[in-house]
Amino acid sequence: MKKFIFLTGGVVSSVGKGVTAAAMGRVLKARGLRVAIQKLDPYLNVDPGTMSPYQHGEVFVTEDGAETDLDLGHYERFTDENLTRASNFTTGQVYNEVLQKERRGDYLGKTIQVIPHVTSEIKRRIALVAKTNADVIICEVGGTVGDIEAMPFLEAIRQMRRDVGRENTMYVHVTFLPMIGATGEQKTKPSQHSVRDLRGAGIQPDAIIARSDLPVDDDVRNKLALFCDVEPRAVIPMPTVKSLYEVPVLLEQLGFGDLICERMGIAHSCTADLSAWKTMMLAVQRPKPEIKIAIVGKYADLPDAYFSVRESLYHAGVACDRDVKIDWINSEQLERDKNGELMARVKAAQGIVVPGGFGERGIEGKVKTAHYAREHKVPYLGLCLGMQIMCIEFARHVLHTDEVNSTEFDPATAHPIIDLMPDQRDISDMGGTMRLGAYPCKLTPNTKAYHAYAAAEAESAEAVAKGQAFTIYERHRHRYEFNNQYRKQLSDAGMIFSGVSPDNHLIEISEFRDHPFMLGSQFHPEFKSRPNRPHPLFKAFIEACIARTA
Ligand code: GLN
């Protein structure tokens, strides 16, 4: 029988419920169990991909091309399992489905209600994840208990206990303990109230994860246990830690993995083995020489918008024994940088990353950055839009004109070096035209991209030994592509197309012949980097930064 763990949040949001779910996944995986994680988002948006990063941070893209919540990035990084579109859904999608069914007449004229119709649709979607080969399904309900939109989710997960049995369900409530300024006393009252709300929805938590900025002492733990009616050992104190990747180790130390297995009678073959994870943590914590990387992007004031990019840089840093310090530089401000203050910061960095993005704000600031990196031979990694920027900048140089652009930013440009593919130009609905999810990319031998992947991909060893091209898969999320009409001119001038689609139609990676490391990918490598397996392109980039300063 499949086991379900339902995670709810109390008091305030943004206290790390997603990381907790991900860390629980790792703790269970360490016992040889197969784990799937799912996020239920209470908001009404049908298409989370169109939400502003200011509202929800990064859009994380899965292999099968779903645009999802950034928590899925935590799930993948912690459990090292690729998730699918079934792993994230919103209230909007649920209602959309129910209303469509009603319009089609599927309900045979019945009165459509939140219970049972909406709750049944929620359970149907939870069951989709349960259909995978996972032994345990961790299901995180977004937001906090008491939110009006989350009510149908709470009702659905309450029903799940009846549907699949008490021994197969566990409810874990993540709360926050605020501190009173002068005395520094941790208050449990808001947590008590949120548990009361949860009980009002018919759910008694089996465990409480008590988030706090400081360590939680036994008195507080016992008080929470008493007032919220859970065993003291099922109150798991979770102080703020320096690195997110410490959380699985903490959960294990507090016996949470054993508690989960005991509570649901999960038989597992081996004792928990987090040794590889702990070795990685030691590497994370070991003091390392610093390396400064500038990220030049539109949302520089909101690093959550580039969550996976930041993590990928850290992963590569650990693998190269460097402590990556990121300087976030706002590309829009860089355009107007009158006294050169921001450009001075770009110049002070040992390497530059230009991440993905949409819309024309800040574009010229990024082009300025790429120009500097190319001329001064500073390592540059361009991610999706970052590759397009690199091509625009180089084409302006080669064609001796500034009349070069992407048609996304200037539809009438004389030289549309980045453009929609011919078959996309007539589509007026922007929603349906993105290239999303994993696509193959064939790597050109004897290029920087080829060597980077060759060093990491064991499956390609045979091809590498013979110096042959091999194929990798990377995740996409973009609408515009490199315009093939300019391929010859740019390659004659020194640009190498080191990754192309297998039919050679689409440019996937470009780099420069005469530059230590200036490389851009049309895909987003950051979605596949893992703490114990840095992405080859990020690693090669950091290595180039180190080589430059050595
Ligand atoms: N705006 C560009 C496009 O749609 C790049 C998108 C991105 O960086 N994810 O092609």
Side-chain angles (χ1 to χ4, degrees):
M1 188 71 192
K2 305 263 175 187
K3 307 288 179 180
F4 294 86
I5 303 176
F6 297 106
L7 217 68
T8 53
V11 184
V12 283
S13 60
S14 311
V15 292
K17 187 149 45 80
V19 170
T20 307
M24 281 165 57
R26 170 49 68 170
V27 164
L28 294 171
K29 198 177 163 176
R31 291 171 161 70
L33 296 163
R34 284 169 307 214
V35 183
I37 317 189
Q38 185 180 41
K39 170 99 190 260
L40 280 46
D41 275 315
Y43 44 78
L44 287 173
N45 302 61
V46 176
D47 186 357
T50 58
M51 289 168 84
S52 161
Y54 284 120
Q55 302 265 307
H56 276 271
E58 169 184 274
V59 172
F60 186 83
V61 181
T62 56
E63 284 288 291
D64 63 350
E67 300 174 274
T68 68
D69 189 88
L70 62 73
D71 276 339
L72 271 81
H74 295 312
Y75 304 166
E76 286 205 356
R77 283 186 285 272
F78 278 75
T79 63
D80 201 6
E81 300 280 351
N82 285 340
L83 300 168
T84 67
R85 64 179 60 249
S87 286
N88 187 207
F89 64 88
T90 69
T91 298
Q93 290 163 357
V94 170
Y95 275 88
N96 202 23
E97 183 88 26
V98 170
L99 293 176
Q100 277 179 25
K101 275 192 191 160
E102 190 275 336
R103 294 286 76 201
R104 278 200 309 262
D106 292 6
Y107 295 118
L108 306 172
K110 284 204 193 93
T111 309
I112 311 303
Q113 294 179 295
V114 173
I115 309 170
H117 300 99
V118 169
T119 49
S120 295
E121 174 58 22
I122 294 170
K123 290 193 289 179
R124 185 186 73 80
R125 285 169 180 257
I126 295 174
L128 288 181
V129 170
K131 268 196 202 126
T132 59
N133 65 1
D135 304 306
V136 185
I137 294 96
I138 301 174
C139 184
E140 176 192 350
V141 180
T144 41
V145 168
D147 296 344
I148 288 179
E149 302 95 33
M151 302 286 271
F153 286 141
L154 295 184
E155 170 58 16
I157 66 170
R158 181 196 71 77
Q159 291 174 15
M160 286 291 292
R161 174 163 278 183
R162 287 170 49 107
D163 295 352
V164 301
R166 202 188 116 74
E167 67 287 4
N168 298 318
T169 45
M170 177 165 179
Y171 298 100
V172 178
H173 192 54
V174 182
T175 71
F176 181 68
L177 304 176
M179 260 177 342
I180 298 301
T183 54
E185 194 190 342
Q186 287 165 326
K187 302 306 263 181
T188 62
K189 185 72 87 190
S191 299
Q192 296 174 34
H193 279 293
S194 79
V195 169
R196 192 174 301 163
D197 281 345
L198 196 58
R199 286 206 200 112
I203 297 169
Q204 164 63 39
D206 299 289
I208 290 180
I209 304 221
R211 283 281 295 110
S212 167
D213 288 331
L214 290 178
V216 179
D217 64 31
D218 279 349
D219 284 352
V220 175
R221 201 175 170 187
N222 289 331
K223 191 168 170 188
L224 269 173
L226 179 66
F227 282 94
C228 303
D229 198 19
V230 295
E231 284 178 82
R233 66 177 187 130
V235 176
I236 309 293
M238 187 54 64
T240 302
V241 282
K242 232 174 135 217
S243 163
L244 302 178
Y245 302 116
E246 286 174 46
V247 178
V249 181
L250 276 180
L251 288 181
E252 192 58 56
Q253 269 167 6
L254 291 162
F256 196 48
D258 288 339
L259 185 102
I260 293 172
C261 293
E262 203 183 297
R263 163 69 189 74
M264 291 196 284
I266 301 177
H268 51 90
S269 47
C270 51
T271 46
D273 181 11
L274 272 177
S275 53
W277 193 267
K278 284 183 184 157
T279 310
M280 175 200 80
M281 274 317 300
L282 288 177
V284 169
Q285 286 160 338
R286 194 174 50 225
K288 295 179 274 295
E290 278 187 12
I291 191 162
K292 198 193 275 175
I293 305 297
I295 297 188
V296 182
K298 185 164 66 168
Y299 299 111
D301 314 317
L302 183 88
D304 268 12
Y306 307 113
F307 209 105
S308 299
V309 176
R310 180 174 65 185
E311 292 305 300
S312 304
L313 286 170
Y314 292 158
H315 302 161
V318 171
C320 299
D321 194 36
R322 285 296 179 282
D323 191 1
V324 174
K325 293 280 178 237
I326 297 174
D327 192 7
W328 299 94
I329 296 174
N330 184 310
S331 53
E332 252 184 303
Q333 287 168 8
L334 187 62
E335 279 172 14
R336 307 184 292 267
D337 187 31
K338 289 229 173 55
N339 47 15
E341 230 173 273
L342 287 179
M343 204 56 206
R345 275 167 54 191
V346 172
K347 290 179 183 170
Q350 282 146 277
I352 299 166
V353 175
V354 174
F358 293 82
E360 69 169 311
R361 274 170 41 213
I363 291 300
E364 292 306 320
K366 292 177 194 168
V367 172
K368 195 163 142 185
T369 306
H371 179 75
Y372 170 78
R374 185 174 57 77
E375 296 246 295
H376 293 85
K377 305 223 180 293
V378 179
Y380 172 105
L381 181 63
L383 310 169
C384 202
L385 176 64
M387 177 193 107
Q388 299 177 352
I389 293 286
M390 173 177 149
C391 297
I392 294 170
E393 192 282 321
F394 188 56
R396 285 183 187 179
H397 166 75
V398 173
L399 304 173
H400 304 290
T401 168
D402 277 350
E403 296 293 305
V404 175
N405 219 326
S406 160
T407 49
E408 179 181 6
F409 317 126
D410 180 5
T413 180
H415 294 287
I417 181 105
I418 307 292
D419 198 3
L420 293 176
M421 289 314 271
D423 56 345
Q424 288 200 328
R425 291 199 190 119
D426 300 330
I427 302 172
S428 53
D429 171 18
M430 294 299 259
T433 58
M434 283 240 252
R435 185 144 78 104
L436 285 168
Y439 282 87
C441 162
K442 202 174 84 194
L443 297 170
T444 317
N446 286 325
T447 58
K448 292 187 186 86
Y450 183 90
H451 291 307
Y453 280 97
E457 309 248 328
E459 310 93 82
S460 60
E462 218 183 298
V464 174
K466 294 188 198 141
Q468 289 168 347
F470 64 94
T471 303
I472 47 133
Y473 286 80
E474 292 283 1
R475 300 184 196 173
H476 291 249
R477 179 172 182 253
H478 59 102
R479 189 169 287 124
Y480 294 81
E481 307 278 356
F482 182 87
N483 184 342
N484 288 326
Q485 282 172 17
Y486 293 91
R487 254 199 219 194
K488 176 147 183 2
Q489 259 169 309
L490 293 202
S491 82
D492 288 348
M495 186 172 253
I496 299 173
F497 301 109
S498 46
V500 291
S501 58
D503 63 3
N504 198 20
H505 254 61
L506 302 168
I507 297 296
E508 294 281 353
I509 311 177
S510 53
E511 58 184 71
F512 287 123
R513 197 189 306 129
D514 306 316
H515 190 291
F517 191 94
M518 188 152 183
L519 183 149
S521 64
Q522 188 54 80
F523 50 80
H524 290 273
E526 67 269 27
F527 295 136
K528 289 180 84 161
S529 181
R530 304 282 186 260
N532 41 10
R533 194 157 30 79
H535 190 283
L537 293 182
F538 278 89
K539 186 157 174 258
F541 166 68
I542 296 289
E543 282 166 357
C545 299
I546 296 171
R548 175 173 171 249
T549 44

